[in-house]
C-alpha cells in the first residue's frame, strides 16, 4: 500500500496517527533525495566516461588519418588507391561519430543533470525548510500550552484572559503552518513523479538520437564498405598471382644468378675490395667499393660503401680504364686480385680483389682482361607459332570449352595434370595428329586439361600475344587516367598489334567475354579472368621484381579488353587519339556531389556488383583447388566509379545486391579522373606571372561585396563562356556530358561546391569547375 493521504482536518486534531503519516511522507522524500543524489553522481561519471571514450576514439581516428601505405613500383591500381584512402575514410567516420557523442554528453548535462539538481535544490530543499518551521512551531505550541495550563487559577481574570488569547493566537498560527506543510508534502509527492522522470526520459531520447545517428552513419558507410570489399578482394586476387610469380623468379635466380642479370647500361657491376696503400710501415688497407663499368665508354666508377653504417662513406670516383691484368698469387698475399690502370694515372695500377675466382673471371671478361671467359646463357626453343596450326589449336579448345565446360566452377583456374596437358599439347601441335583430336566429344580429355593446354600454348609462343614492343605502352594507361581514356588507349594499341596477333587476341577475348557472362555458375568474373590471362597474354621481355609488380596492371588491361571487346575489335580507334605514351596527364578528380537536402549527410556511392554475386547457393559449396584463388566479385578496373565521389547508378538494391541490366551498367560507367585538379589560377586562365592581374581577378571572384557584406557577388560576377579541357561523361541527369573543346555559354557558379552551371547545345546542367577554362 502506498502513502496515506494527509487530511487537512487532521491538522487540527494532530493525532498520533497523523504524525505517523507525516513521518512516512518525510521518509519517502528523504529516500527520493538520496536517489537523486546518487543519480546525479552516476550521471556525472557517465559524462566523464563519455568524454574519455570520445578522446580515445579521436586519438584512434587521428592515428588512422596520419598513416599512409607506401606501394612498390611507380603506380597503384584504382583498388589500391581506394584501399590507401580507406584509413582516412575510417577516420572521418569516427570523427562524425564523436561529434554526435559530444552532442550526447552535452544533452546529458542539459536534460538530466541540471533539471534534477534544480528539482532537488528548489523543491526538496523548500520542503526541508517547511519541515524545520513545522517542527519549530510544534515545539513552541506545545511548550506554550503546557506553560499556560500550569497557570494558577487564583490569578486575576484579566491576566488569565490575556494568557488565553496568546495561546489561541499561537494555536491558530500552528494550524495554518501545519496546513501549509501538509499541502506542500502532498504536492511534492505528486510533483516528484514527473520532475524526476521527465529528465530521465529526455536523457534516453538523447541516447536514442545518438544511436540513431550512428545507425544513419552506418547506413551511409555501408555503400563505401561494399565498394571497399570489392577493392580488397581484387587486390587480394592480384596479390596471389604476383606472389607466385615472385617466388618463381626467386627460385630461377637462386638456381642460376648469372642467367637473370638485369639488363642495364653497365657491362659489369658489383662489390670489389680496393687496396689503399699507406706509407711504411703501415702497409695497406682494403676498402669495399661498389664498382660499375661501361665497356662502350671504358668508364669505371667506384663508390666506397660500409654495410655497418648502411650507406656510402665517401664520394664516388670515376676514371677511364686503360688496361686490366690478373695478379698472380706470388705477387700478392691475397687471392682473386687484378690490377686496373686509369688513363689519368699511367704507371700507377689500382689493385682490386673480387669475392671469388669465378667473380674475378667475370670482371676480367668485362674489362677485357687477359683471362676473359665467356658466360654461356641457355636458350629455350619453342615450336609454338602463330600459324595455321596455332589458330586451329585455339579454336578447337575454345569450341570444346564452350560446348562442355562453360559452367564449370573455376574454369581456367583449375589446373590439369601436367603429363596429360603435355600429351594433349604435343598432339595438337603436330600437323599429322591435330585434326584427329576430337575435344568436343571425347571423354579422354577433361575440360581442365583442355584449358591448361590452351594457356600453355599461349605461354609457349616465342613472343607474348600482345608483344614485347607494346608491353610498356599497354601498361601506361592502366596506371592512370579516367576509365574512358583507358579504354581508348587500349583500343588504340590493339590496332597497332601485328594482324595475326590481333586476330588471335580477338578470338580469345570474345571467348573470355562469353565465359564471364556465365560467372554465376563458373565463378569466373572479369577480374578473375584478368588474373589468369594477364601473365599469359602479356609478359615483359626481362624478368624482374619491378616487372612482376606490374602484373596487376596487366590484369587490368585484360579486364578492359573483356569488358569492351565489341568496341575494341569491331570498331576502328579514333584517328585523333594521341599516342598512349603521352597520356601521363589525366583529367582532375571530379568534385563530390552534395546532397540536395539541407543538413542531410552525403550518401556514399553504391558499389558496382557483378550479377554473379547472386551465385545460386554457390556460397554453400567449396570451390575446387586452383592455382590462384577464385573470387566472386567483378572488376572495377575500367568501368567502376570512384567509391568516394561518384553518384549511385540506376538500378534497384535488393538486400546487399545491386540488380541492374548491362545497359544500365554501361550507361553508368563514366569518366572519373585520376589526378589532382589544376590550380585555381590556371583554370581561371589568369597569367601566373602577373601578380597584380592575378590578385585583381581573384578579388573579383572570391571576395565578398563590400556594399552588401555577402558573397553573392561571386555568383553574379561569373556569367562567362568556358571551354572544356577534359572530356566528361555525366553521372547524373543534372550534369552535362562533353568532349574536349566544347564551349559552354552563360557559365556561373553552382550552389554545389566545385561545380559550375552552364549551357551546352541548348541544355543547361552542372559542370566540374576544374574541367574547364574560362574564355
Amino acid at each position: 500500500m502506498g502513502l496515506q493521504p494527509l487530511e487537512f482536518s487532521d491538522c487540527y486534531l494532530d493525532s498520533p496517527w497523523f504524525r505517523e503519516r507525516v513521518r512516512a511522507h518525510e521518509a519517502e522524500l528523504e529516500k527520493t533525495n538520496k536517489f537523486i543524489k546518487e543519480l546525479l553522481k552516476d550521471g556525472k561519471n557517465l559524462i566523464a566516461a563519455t568524454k574519455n571514450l570520445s578522446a580515445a576514439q579521436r586519438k584512434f581516428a587521428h592515428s588512422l588519418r596520419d598513416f599512409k601505405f607506401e606501394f612498390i613500383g611507380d603506380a597503384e591500381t584504382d583498388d589500391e588507391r581506394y584501399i590507401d584512402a580507406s584509413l582516412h575514410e575510417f577516420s572521418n567516420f569516427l570523427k562524425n561519430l564523436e561529434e554526435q557523442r559530444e552532442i550526447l554528453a552535452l544533452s546529458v548535462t542539459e536534460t538530466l543533470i541540471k533539471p534534477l539538481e534544480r528539482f532537488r535544490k528548489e523543491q526538496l530543499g523548500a520542503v526541508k525548510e517547511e519541515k524545520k518551521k513545522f517542527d519549530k512551531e510544534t515545539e513552541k505550541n506545545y511548550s506554550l500550552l503546557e506553560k499556560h495550563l500550569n497557570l494558577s487559577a487564583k490569578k486575576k481574570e484579566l491576566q488569565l484572559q490575556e494568557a488565553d488569547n496568546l495561546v489561541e493566537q499561537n494555536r491558530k498560527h500552528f494550524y495554518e503552518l501545519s496546513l501549509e506543510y501538509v499541502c506542500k508534502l502532498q504536492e511534492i509527492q505528486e510533483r516528484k513523479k514527473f520532475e524526476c522522470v521527465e529528465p530521465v526520459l529526455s536523457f534516453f531520447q538523447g541516447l536514442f538520437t545518438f544511436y540513431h545517428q550512428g545507425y544513419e552513419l552506418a547506413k551511409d558507410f555501408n555503400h563505401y564498405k561494399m565498394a571497399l570489399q570489392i577493392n580488397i578482394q581484387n587486390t587480394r586476387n592480384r596479390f596471389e598471382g604476383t606472389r607466385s610469380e615472385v617466388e618463381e623468379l626467386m627460385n630461377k635466380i637462386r638456381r642460376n644468378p648469372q642467367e637473370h642479370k638485369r639488363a642495364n647500361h653497365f657491362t659489369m657491376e658489383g662489390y670489389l675490395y680496393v687496396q689503399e696503400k699507406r706509407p711504411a710501415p703501415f702497409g695497406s688497407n682494403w676498402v669495399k667499393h661498389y664498382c660499375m663499368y661501361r665497356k662502350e665508354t671504358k668508364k669505371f666508377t667506384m663508390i666506397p660503401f660500409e654495410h655497418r653504417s648502411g650507406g656510402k662513406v665517401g664520394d664516388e670516383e670515376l676514371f677511364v680504364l686503360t688496361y686490366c691484368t690478373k695478379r698472380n698469387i706470388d705477387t700478392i698475399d691475397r687471392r682473386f686480385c687484378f690490377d686496373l690502370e686509369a688513363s689519368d694515372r699511367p704507371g700507377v695500377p689500382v689493385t682490386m680483389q673480387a669475392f671469388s675466382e669465378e667473380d674475378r673471371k667475370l670482371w676480367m671478361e668485362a674489362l677485357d682482361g687477359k683471362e676473359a671467359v665467356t658466360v654461356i646463357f641457355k636458350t629455350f626453343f619453342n615450336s609454338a607459332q602463330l600459324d595455321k596450326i596455332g589458330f586451329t589449336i585455339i579454336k578447337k579448345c575454345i569450341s570444346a570449352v564452350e560446348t562442355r565446360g562453360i559452367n564449370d566452377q573455376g574454369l581456367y583456374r583449375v589446373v590439369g595434370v601436367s603429363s596429360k596437358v603435355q600429351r594433349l599439347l604435343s598432339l595438337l601441335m603436330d600437323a599429322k595428329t591435330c585434326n584427329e583430336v576430337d575435344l568436343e566429344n571425347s571423354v579422354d580429355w577433361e575440360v581442365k586439361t583442355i584449358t591448361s593446354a590452351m594457356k600453355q600454348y599461349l605461354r609457349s609462343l616465342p613472343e607474348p600475344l600482345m608483344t614485347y614492343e607494346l608491353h610498356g605502352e599497354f601498361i601506361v594507361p592502366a596506371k592512370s587516367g579516367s576509365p574512358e581514356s583507358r579504354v581508348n588507349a587500349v583500343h588504340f594499341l590493339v590496332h597497332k598489334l601485328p594482324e595475326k596477333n590481333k586476330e588471335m587476341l580477338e578470338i580469345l577475348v570474345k571467348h573470355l567475354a562469353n565465359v564471364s557472362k556465365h560467372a554465376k555458375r563458373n565463378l569466373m568474373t572479369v577480374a578473375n579472368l584478368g588474373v589468369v590471362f594477364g601473365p599469359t597474354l602479356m609478359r615483359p621481355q626481362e624478368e624482374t621484381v619491378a616487372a612482376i609488380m606490374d602484373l596487376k596492371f596487366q590484369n587490368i588491361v585484360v579486364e578492359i579488353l573483356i569488358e569492351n571487346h565489341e568496341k575494341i575489335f569491331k570498331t576502328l580507334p579514333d584517328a585523333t587519339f594521341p599516342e598512349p605514351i603521352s597520356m601521363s596527364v589525366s583529367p582532375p578528380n571530379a568534385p563530390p556531389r552534395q546532397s540536395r537536402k539541407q543538413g542531410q549527410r552525403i550518401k556514399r556511392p553504391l558499389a558496382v556488383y557483378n550479377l554473379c554475386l547472386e551465385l545460386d547457393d554457390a556460397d554453400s559449396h567449396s570451390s575446387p583447388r586452383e592455382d590462384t584463388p577464385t573470387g566472386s566479385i567483378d572488376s572495377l578496373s575500367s568501368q567502376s566509379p570512384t567509391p568516394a565521389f561518384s553518384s549511385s547508378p540506376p538500378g534497384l538494391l535488393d538486400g546487399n545486391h545491386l540488380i541492374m541490366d548491362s545497359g544500365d551498367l554501361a550507361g553508368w560507367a563514366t569518366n572519373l579522373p585520376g589526378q589532382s585538379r589544376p590550380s585555381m589560377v590556371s583554370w581561371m586562365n589568369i597569367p601566373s606571372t602577373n601578380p597584380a592581374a592575378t590578385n585583381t581577378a581573384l578579388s573579383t571572384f572570391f571576395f565578398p561585396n563590400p556594399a552588401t557584406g555577402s558573397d553573392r557577388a561571386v555568383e553574379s560576377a561569373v556569367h562567362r563562356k568556358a571551354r572544356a579541357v577534359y572530356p566528361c561523361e555525366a553521372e547524373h541527369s543534372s550534369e552535362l556530358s562533353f568532349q574536349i573543346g566544347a564551349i559552354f555559354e552563360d557559365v556561373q557558379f553552382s550552389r554545389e561546391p566545385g561545380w559550375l552551371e552552364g549551357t551546352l547545345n541548348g541544355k543547361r546542367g552542372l559542370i566540374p569547375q576544374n574541367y574547364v577554362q574560362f574564355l
Side-chain angles (χ1 to χ4, degrees), residues 17-68:
W17 300 278
F18 170 72
R19 286 288 177 163
E20 286 182 4
R21 291 195 292 271
V22 169
R23 282 195 295 273
H25 279 260
E26 290 172 347
E28 172 60 26
L29 291 181
E30 183 62 28
K31 186 174 71 172
T32 302
N33 185 53
K34 289 182 179 179
F35 160 71
I36 293 176
K37 285 178 68 176
E38 286 295 321
L39 195 63
L40 289 173
K41 179 182 176 183
D42 294 339
K44 290 175 181 177
N45 289 338
L46 175 63
I47 293 174
T50 300
K51 289 180 178 179
N52 289 336
L53 174 61
S54 182
Q57 292 267 45
R58 286 183 180 277
K59 188 174 184 303
F60 183 71
H62 289 159
S63 298
L64 289 173
R65 183 195 62 192
D66 295 341
F67 183 78
K68 178 172 176 56

Side-chain angles (χ1 to χ4, degrees), residues 491-506:
H491 189 188
F492 182 86
L493 291 169
V494 164
H495 287 264
K496 289 180 66 176
L497 289 171
E499 195 59 36
K500 286 186 177 181
N501 295 58
K502 183 160 72 74
E503 183 182 351
M504 177 75 80
L505 185 63
E506 179 179 3

Side-chain angles (χ1 to χ4, degrees), residues 635-652:
S635 162
L636 292 180
S637 61
S638 61
Q639 290 191 334
S640 62
T642 304
F645 294 123
S646 61
S647 57
S648 299
L652 300 175

